[in-house]
């Protein structure tokens, strides 16, 4: 891990800790932007579940829209927005390639989820058409019966993705839109650089 990469991760960790200690409702909420192979973008909010020098991890159904797009085009951009921090809020952008987490890591995280969330992962055909809410509730009831009295295994097609950072931007909001922005980039040789950007 290079010094600048370590610096970027440390900066993120400090800001994330501030957000968790503050008034943010879900400080680990982040927008994940993906795109199809022909460049059609989509974005949604998910929850960051872990981060370390290997990258930033979130979990989802692999056959969902984002899962399908990541299979076609394994790159993503993340955006954290913490409006309550400092003078006028802070944004952190992370961009990079994406890889699936290994089976053991996905199993361990799934086992830590609340039981109702585990049942929901089995009941949901994420991003597919749903005829009615009652149909989903019936699927939930079916799964409750199916797994009654026993541990719920991780369903096939439900796993995690790790975004391996190739760029960070730290955006510190200021009055009159005179923001401060710092950008970290990794080049093709793996060397990191740091620069300040105009607001």
């Amino acid at each position: 891990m290079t010094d600048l990469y370590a610096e970027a991760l440390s900066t993120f960790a400090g800001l994330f800790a501030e957000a968790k200690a503050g008034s943010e409702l879900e400080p680990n909420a982040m927008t994940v932007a993906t795109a199809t192979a022909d460049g059609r973008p989509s974005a949604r909010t998910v929850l960051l579940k872990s981060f370390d020098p290997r990258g930033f991890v979130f979990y989802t159904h692999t056959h969902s829209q984002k899962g399908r797009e990541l299979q076609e085009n394994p790159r993503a951009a993340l955006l954290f927005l913490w409006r309550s921090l400092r003078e006028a809020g802070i944004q952190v952008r992370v961009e990079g390639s994406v890889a699936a987490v290994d089976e053991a890591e996905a199993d361990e995280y799934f086992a830590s989820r609340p039981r109702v969330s585990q049942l929901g992962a089995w009941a949901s055909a994420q991003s597919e058409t749903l005829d009615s809410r009652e149909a989903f509730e019936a699927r939930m009831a079916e799964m409750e019966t199916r797994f009654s009295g026993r541990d719920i295994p991780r369903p096939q097609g439900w796993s995690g993705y790790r975004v391996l950072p190739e760029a960070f931007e730290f955006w510190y909001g200021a009055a009159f839109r005179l923001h401060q922005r710092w950008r970290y980039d990794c080049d093709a040789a793996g060397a990191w650089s740091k620069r300040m950007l105009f607001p």
Side-chain angles (χ1 to χ4, degrees):
M1 188 166 57
T2 67
D3 289 345
L4 284 176
Y5 184 46
E7 179 181 291
L9 285 175
S10 177
T11 300
F12 176 84
L15 294 172
F16 188 41
E18 281 188 47
K20 289 192 292 184
S23 59
E24 295 292 329
L25 181 62
E26 286 189 310
N28 61 329
M30 61 183 185
T31 300
V32 176
T34 56
T36 59
D38 61 353
R40 294 175 180 267
S42 64
R44 74 290 291 158
T45 301
V46 304
L47 299 178
L48 175 70
K49 290 303 178 181
S50 66
F51 73 95
D52 60 25
R54 296 174 299 165
F56 291 69
V57 175
F58 65 93
Y59 289 86
T60 188
H61 288 265
T62 59
H63 52 70
S64 65
Q65 181 181 0
K66 59 185 170 298
R68 294 193 302 269
E69 289 177 359
L70 288 170
Q71 290 169 32
E72 292 179 24
N73 181 11
R75 302 191 62 78
L78 312 178
L79 173 65
F80 298 86
L81 172 60
W82 299 311
R83 285 194 164 278
S84 66
L85 293 192
R86 313 243 181 129
E87 180 183 353
I90 289 175
Q91 296 184 66
V92 179
R93 296 170 54 194
V94 182
E95 301 163 9
S97 59
V98 177
V101 304
D102 63 37
E103 298 288 309
E105 188 173 356
D107 287 342
E108 181 179 5
Y109 172 70
F110 188 81
S112 75
R113 303 184 85 208
R115 188 173 179 86
V116 173
S117 298
Q118 293 176 336
L119 291 169
W122 277 91
S124 177
Q126 193 175 77
S127 301
E128 299 301 320
T129 301
L130 175 62
D131 292 333
S132 67
R133 184 67 185 183
E134 290 75 18
F136 179 64
E137 290 170 355
R139 287 172 65 100
M140 284 290 291
E142 178 187 337
M143 294 305 153
E144 286 186 49
T145 300
R146 177 177 175 181
F147 294 109
S148 178
R150 63 190 180 98
D151 290 341
I152 302 173
R154 178 173 61 89
Q156 185 177 12
W158 190 98
S159 193
Y161 291 99
R162 176 174 282 109
V163 179
L164 294 75
E166 296 170 3
F168 291 86
E169 184 184 321
F170 297 96
W171 179 100
Y172 301 88
F176 306 107
R177 312 300 293 174
L178 304 179
H179 314 306
Q180 183 178 146
R181 298 169 61 189
W182 286 97
R183 175 89 180 183
Y184 295 75
D185 289 287
C186 183
D187 67 18
W192 284 84
S193 60
K194 177 184 177 182
R195 57 199 168 102
M196 186 179 280
L197 304 178
F198 277 102

